[in-house]
Amino acid sequence: MSKRVTNDRSVKLWRVQALRNLELQRATREGHSFPKRLHEGFEISVIDRGAEKLLYRGSSYIAPMGSVVVINPGEVHAASSADQSGWSYRSFYPTAADVRDAASSAAGRILPTPSFSTPVIQDKHVCRILRRLHTLLESPNSALAQESYSIWVASQLVTRHGDYRTAPKAVGKEPKAIKLAKEFIRANSSDNVTLAQLTKETGLSSFHLVRVFTAHVGLPPHAYLNQVRVNHARKLLAAGHSIGHVASESGFVDQSHLARHFKRLLGITPGQYARAGSSWSERSLAW
C-alpha cells in the first residue's frame, strides 16, 4: 500500500510501504531552484520535460528530457531549471541499504553500497524502465509487482552504470523452485503475495528467483499472479457473481484494478464478459 504525504497541482510526494517505505516524488518546477543540499540516501530522477541544471562535485551539468540523474548519498548538490520554461521530473529516494541490497541480490553475493561517478546518465532503456516503475508505484498495485519490478530496475541501473559493476548470477535450472513458486502463487492468489514469501518458499534470492521464474515460465512472478487472478475472476463472473465481489475474491485492490488487468489480458472489460456470460446462459436455457 502507498502512503501519500502531499499532493497539489505541481508536486506529489508519497511513500510505498511494501518497499521499505520508499519515498517518491513527481513534480513540475517553474521559477524554482534548490540551494546546495545533501541527502542521506540516493536521489534517482528521470527528467520528463525541460532540462535540469545541476551543480555537483564542483562541476555544472545539464540533464535534458530523457536523462537519468543519480546523486550519491551525502553529496552536496544544487538544482534549477536550465531555462525559463522549468522542468518536470520523477524521483526516487532509496536508502543506501536499499540500493546495496538490490545490487547484492543481483550479484548473488554481498556487495558494498554502489556509487555513481557520473550524475547525468543517458540510457534510453534505464530511463524507460525507471519511468515505468515510478508510474507503477504511483497507483495501487500488488506487493509482488512492486517488489519484483523494483529489484529488477535497481539491478539494471547498478550493473549498467555503477562504478563497481558485476555480472548477474547465471540463471541456471531450478525446476523444483519454480514448481514451488507457482504452487504458492496459485494457492494464495487472493492474498497480497510478496517476494519475501516466495524466496522463503523456494530458498532462492529475490533477484535470482525473478530471473529464473521469468526465464522458465515466460512471465515474471507478478505477471503470473495477475494471470492466475484473472482466470479466477473469469470463473466467478461466469458463475454470476458481482464485479465488486469478484475483484475482492480474486485478490485485486478494487474494481478498477481488476478491470485494468482483465481488459489487458482478455481484450474486454469484466462487465462485458459478465454480460456475455449472461447471454450464453439465457441461450442455454432457451434450448
Side-chain angles (χ1 to χ4, degrees), residues 216-239:
H216 289 274
V217 178
L219 295 170
H222 66 275
Y224 182 79
L225 172 61
N226 286 332
Q227 185 72 67
V228 171
R229 286 174 170 173
V230 167
N231 287 341
H232 183 52
R234 288 177 65 179
K235 294 177 182 177
L236 293 176
L237 288 168

Side-chain angles (χ1 to χ4, degrees), residues 1-5 13-24 92-95 98 137 146-147:
M1 181 181 292
S2 298
K3 180 180 179 182
R4 183 172 298 173
V5 179
L13 178 68
W14 72 101
R15 297 188 181 98
V16 179
Q17 295 173 351
L19 299 178
R20 302 181 181 179
N21 222 26
L22 173 66
E23 186 173 298
L24 301 101
F92 304 79
Y93 299 94
T95 66
D98 291 338
L137 298 179
Q146 293 174 338
E147 294 169 328

Side-chain angles (χ1 to χ4, degrees), residues 36 53-61 71 76-80:
K36 287 184 178 180
K53 181 179 180 181
L54 182 70
L55 298 178
Y56 185 75
R57 292 181 175 177
S59 297
S60 178
Y61 298 86
I71 306 297
V76 175
H77 60 286
S80 62

Side-chain angles (χ1 to χ4, degrees), residues 113-187:
T113 300
S115 62
F116 299 82
S117 57
T118 302
V120 180
I121 296 170
Q122 302 295 339
D123 185 326
K124 291 181 180 179
H125 168 68
V126 170
C127 179
R128 182 175 65 256
I129 62 177
L130 277 169
R131 183 181 288 112
R132 182 179 174 188
L133 173 61
H134 201 278
T135 303
L136 174 72
L137 298 179
E138 193 170 0
S139 58
N141 221 307
S142 72
L144 185 58
Q146 293 174 338
E147 294 169 328
S148 299
Y149 202 66
S150 295
I151 197 167
W152 180 72
V153 172
S155 67
Q156 289 283 292
L157 176 63
V158 171
T159 56
R160 291 166 72 104
H161 299 286
D163 291 344
Y164 179 74
R165 303 178 191 180
T166 181
K169 181 180 178 181
V171 172
K173 295 181 179 180
E174 303 282 359
K176 182 179 179 181
I178 300 308
K179 181 175 181 290
L180 290 172
K182 290 171 68 177
E183 289 175 348
F184 186 88
I185 289 172
R186 288 196 297 268

